[in-house]
């Protein structure tokens, strides 16, 4: 039997499971980004890269959730002042555990030195079932990656943030992660 989504996923008025999530684009001093690779238990052959982060618990702020997720998923203990932003938002639709889900995501930026070695010590048993690895990747490596990367514009976003955040929150709008992206849409969403 396929495990169910966690308690932080509520059924919305449209019948889809949804939640709010805080994510962090973590860059090191070589402008590599720390990403997690995971898969769906219902589609183990499909694997993708994504930023550190997860659901915002009841009573938790976006910043608190981002910091908690950094500790739990990557063993990285940062302070609120270490986060920049939010730098990016999007509404992501995707299939997971045989359900269509909607996740309202807010992304922060964090800079750390290249000596941080991510650890999966804080992963829950449920996360261990679907998370495969963590790795520092350059944007060139991301662009050459044969697995999916979410959001799909992440290499362009990382390149822009590596040059310095200009204070503008990028809104990527609604993205359907299980559908091919329109190249024209990608070009307009990174500007």
């Amino acid at each position: 039997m396929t495990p169910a989504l966690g308690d932080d996923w509520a059924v919305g008025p449209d019948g889809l499971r949804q939640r709010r999530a805080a994510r962090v684009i973590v860059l090191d001093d070589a402008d590599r980004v720390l990403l997690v690779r995971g898969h769906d238990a219902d589609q183990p052959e499909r694997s993708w890269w994504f930023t550190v982060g997860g659901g915002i618990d009841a009573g938790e702020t976006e910043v608190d959730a981002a910091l908690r997720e950094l500790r739990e998923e990557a063993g990285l203990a940062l302070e609120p002042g270490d986060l920049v932003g939010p730098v990016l938002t999007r509404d992501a639709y995707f299939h997971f555990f045989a359900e269509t889900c909607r996740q309202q995501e807010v992304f922060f930026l964090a800079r750390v030195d290249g000596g941080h070695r991510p650890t999966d010590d804080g992963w829950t048993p449920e996360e261990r079932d679907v998370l495969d690895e963590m790795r520092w990747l350059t944007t060139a490596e991301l662009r050459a990656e044969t697995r999916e990367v979410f959001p799909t514009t992440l290499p362009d976003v990382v390149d822009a943030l590596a040059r310095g955040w200009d204070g503008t929150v990028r809104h990527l709008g609604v993205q359907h992660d299980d559908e091919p992206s329109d190249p024209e849409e990608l070009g307009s969403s990174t500007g």
Side-chain angles (χ1 to χ4, degrees):
M1 176 168 174
T2 300
L5 293 166
D7 293 337
D8 56 337
W9 291 91
V11 176
D14 57 3
L16 297 180
R17 301 271 244 144
Q18 60 186 356
R19 73 175 182 179
R20 292 178 51 237
R23 309 203 73 77
V24 185
I25 300 168
V26 183
L27 300 181
D28 72 3
D29 45 12
D31 294 332
R32 296 178 305 167
V33 61
L34 180 62
L35 296 179
V36 180
R37 187 173 61 82
H39 67 278
D40 187 341
D42 287 332
Q43 295 177 313
E45 71 285 353
R46 183 178 173 213
S47 180
W48 57 87
W49 290 102
F50 56 96
T51 58
V52 174
I56 299 171
D57 292 339
E60 205 173 31
T61 68
E62 293 170 344
V63 168
D64 290 340
L67 294 171
R68 176 182 50 75
E69 290 289 340
L70 283 170
R71 280 189 311 275
E72 292 173 359
E73 286 189 1
L76 190 56
L78 298 180
E79 299 295 323
D82 295 325
L83 295 181
V84 174
V87 297
L88 181 73
T89 66
R90 77 177 191 138
D91 287 337
Y93 284 81
F94 51 88
H95 295 93
F96 197 63
F97 287 138
E99 293 193 51
T100 299
C101 304
R102 178 177 53 238
Q103 185 164 261
Q104 297 168 324
E105 299 175 338
V106 59
F107 292 76
F108 294 91
L109 170 66
R111 284 271 194 185
V112 299
D113 69 39
H116 176 72
R117 187 177 189 119
T119 174
D120 62 4
D121 291 345
W123 289 6
T124 66
E126 295 79 15
E127 287 172 326
R128 290 187 184 285
D129 286 342
V130 295
L131 300 181
D132 302 312
E133 67 174 311
M134 286 180 288
R135 190 183 318 164
W136 291 101
L137 296 164
T138 66
T139 54
E141 290 169 325
L142 276 179
R143 286 185 175 95
E145 180 59 55
T146 58
R147 295 176 188 96
E148 296 168 281
V149 175
F150 298 116
T152 56
T153 57
L154 188 61
D156 294 333
V157 169
V158 169
D159 281 343
L161 291 173
R163 292 189 298 270
W165 185 49
D166 64 5
T168 302
V169 179
R170 293 179 178 193
H171 301 286
L172 297 183
V174 175
Q175 295 188 325
H176 295 268
D177 289 351
D178 296 313
E179 298 174 8
S181 297
D182 177 355
E184 289 183 22
E185 180 183 288
L186 292 179
S188 67
S189 67
T190 61

